[in-house]
Amino acid sequence: MRSISRILKSKSTIILVALAALTLIAAGCGGAKTKTSSTGIQAGTVKVDGSSTVLPVSEAVASEFMKANPGINVTVGSSGTGGGFKKFIAGEIDIADASRPIEEAEKAAAKKNGIQYIEIPVAYDGITIIVNKKNAWAKSITTEELKKIWAPDSKINNWKQVRADWPDQKLVLYGPSSAHGTFDYFTQAINGKEKAIRTDYNVSEDYNVVVQGVQGDKGALGFLGYAYYKQNEDNLRALPIDAGSGPVKPTEETIKGGNYNPLSRQIYIYVNSKSLEKPVVKDFVKFYLTKGSELIPSVGYIPLNKADYDKSLKQIE
């Protein structure tokens, strides 16, 4: 009986050891479901939303980051600068794309909600005035003429009303909605007050619709981010702007050098400080400021100087 008892105890021990081993194997298999990236970061998600102007940059960076880091998902939305800040302030996203600096009311709302953030410039942009390729009369346009066209009380609907030697051609206007930072910046720079603009123009949430509208109408004029012009420059023409020192065309040199006045600007990402505690978010932002900055020319924008990116890298560290 004692020998049988010993045998049973011995078998029980073997079974328990075997079960323990199986548990460890199962745990290992379970852990395999959480993929690790090539940089050693566990799988996770980075949520980005905001400016349609910054969208091409963030999409390009996200695509390359995900290629380098299998198992990580970066979602990039485009609800406009204002819409992105609303989500950011509500704590719904990690990063807000913005084509203008955060406003005082947005700062106050973020503070109220306990949202701390870092503002990071990522590129230069020049808001571009576009016309149809068949427009052979307008070689440039002054800031005063732009104000005359876009002022809240403007009744201008013909090119001849803008300049006497321009033809009797119907003027059709296209531009982004008030949800866009480009809209805010343009109205401030041209009309002297943010959101001050005539309401009878063709409004779109999508810059590609602005492109198509101007492309399809000989008398059209519109405004959008430089990258969207560069992507479609074979089908559009950019008007040089005269702010008082002669016409200046938007180019990489004039925008970065500050000569393209008053429509050259920086574009930004805003990073939730709490989100930076997550390795996946921190690594994505670091990638954005290093490898990502090399992608900026490919989507039509102008990169900052390396010292600017290095300064932002120190901030997030």
Side-chain angles (χ1 to χ4, degrees):
M1 292 293 290
R2 286 179 182 176
S3 62
I4 293 172
S5 176
R6 284 176 189 163
I7 292 169
L8 287 173
K9 283 181 181 179
S10 177
K11 284 185 176 180
S12 296
T13 302
I14 293 168
I15 291 168
L16 287 170
V17 170
L19 285 171
L22 286 171
T23 301
L24 287 171
I25 293 168
C29 292
K33 292 177 183 177
T34 303
K35 294 181 181 178
T36 301
S37 73
S38 59
T39 56
I41 296 176
Q42 288 188 342
T45 298
V46 183
K47 295 180 181 178
V48 186
D49 204 328
S51 168
S52 298
T53 301
V54 187
L55 176 69
V57 183
S58 289
E59 281 187 328
V61 176
S63 177
E64 290 302 310
F65 184 74
M66 287 188 288
K67 283 180 188 176
N69 298 280
I72 291 174
N73 183 38
V74 183
T75 64
V76 184
S78 59
S79 56
T81 296
F85 274 134
K86 284 180 182 177
K87 292 181 180 182
F88 186 73
I89 290 164
E92 296 173 9
I93 57 176
D94 302 300
I95 298 169
D97 287 342
S99 58
R100 59 160 172 79
I102 190 168
E103 295 178 344
E104 290 303 319
E106 292 163 336
K107 288 180 184 179
K111 185 176 181 180
K112 183 179 178 182
N113 288 355
I115 302 294
Q116 296 182 333
Y117 56 84
I118 299 175
E119 176 189 87
I120 300 177
V122 292
Y124 290 106
D125 175 38
I127 297 176
T128 306
I129 309 301
I130 55 171
V131 294
N132 187 275
K133 275 282 190 180
K134 293 179 181 178
N135 180 332
W137 59 88
K139 305 299 182 185
S140 66
I141 195 164
T142 69
T143 51
E144 283 303 311
E145 287 168 338
L146 284 171
K147 184 175 182 179
K148 187 177 178 181
I149 292 169
W150 290 98
D153 59 351
S154 176
K155 303 298 180 187
I156 301 291
N157 59 16
N158 193 293
W159 282 92
K160 197 168 187 66
Q161 292 173 283
V162 182
R163 199 179 290 185
D165 59 350
W166 283 349
D168 181 12
Q169 170 74 46
K170 185 178 179 182
L171 175 63
V172 183
L173 301 173
Y174 292 85
S177 74
S178 60
H180 293 268
T182 298
F183 171 93
D184 294 335
Y185 196 98
F186 179 83
T187 50
Q188 176 68 52
I190 297 302
N191 292 332
K193 185 178 179 183
E194 196 174 287
K195 301 190 187 301
I197 197 169
R198 65 191 295 171
T199 57
D200 59 341
Y201 71 98
N202 293 287
V203 183
S204 178
E205 299 294 335
D206 186 347
Y207 286 123
N208 292 308
V209 175
V210 177
V211 168
Q212 292 163 11
V214 175
Q215 185 180 330
D217 192 326
K218 184 179 178 180
L221 178 143
F223 67 93
L224 38 61
Y226 182 68
Y228 288 89
Y229 160 67
K230 287 297 289 181
Q231 290 166 12
N232 297 279
E233 63 182 331
D234 291 341
N235 302 310
L236 299 168
R237 190 160 63 82
L239 282 187
I241 297 175
D242 188 348
S245 301
V248 179
K249 186 178 179 179
T251 65
E252 180 175 340
E253 292 74 24
T254 61
I255 293 170
K256 188 171 184 176
N259 301 316
Y260 181 66
N261 287 320
L263 297 180
S264 60
R265 59 179 176 167
Q266 288 184 332
I267 54 178
Y268 308 85
I269 59 172
Y270 283 77
V271 185
N272 186 317
S273 297
K274 187 167 178 139
S275 292
L276 279 175
E277 294 173 9
K278 296 186 287 186
V280 63
V281 175
K282 188 171 185 177
D283 203 63
F284 175 70
V285 176
K286 288 168 69 175
F287 186 90
Y288 208 122
L289 296 169
T290 51
K291 297 292 184 184
S293 65
E294 298 170 8
L295 301 171
I296 288 170
S298 69
V299 294
Y301 289 119
I302 300 101
L304 306 179
N305 297 318
K306 185 178 182 299
D308 296 315
Y309 295 119
D310 289 344
K311 182 180 177 181
S312 294
L313 280 168
K314 286 181 182 178
Q315 277 187 289
I316 67 165
E317 290 294 353

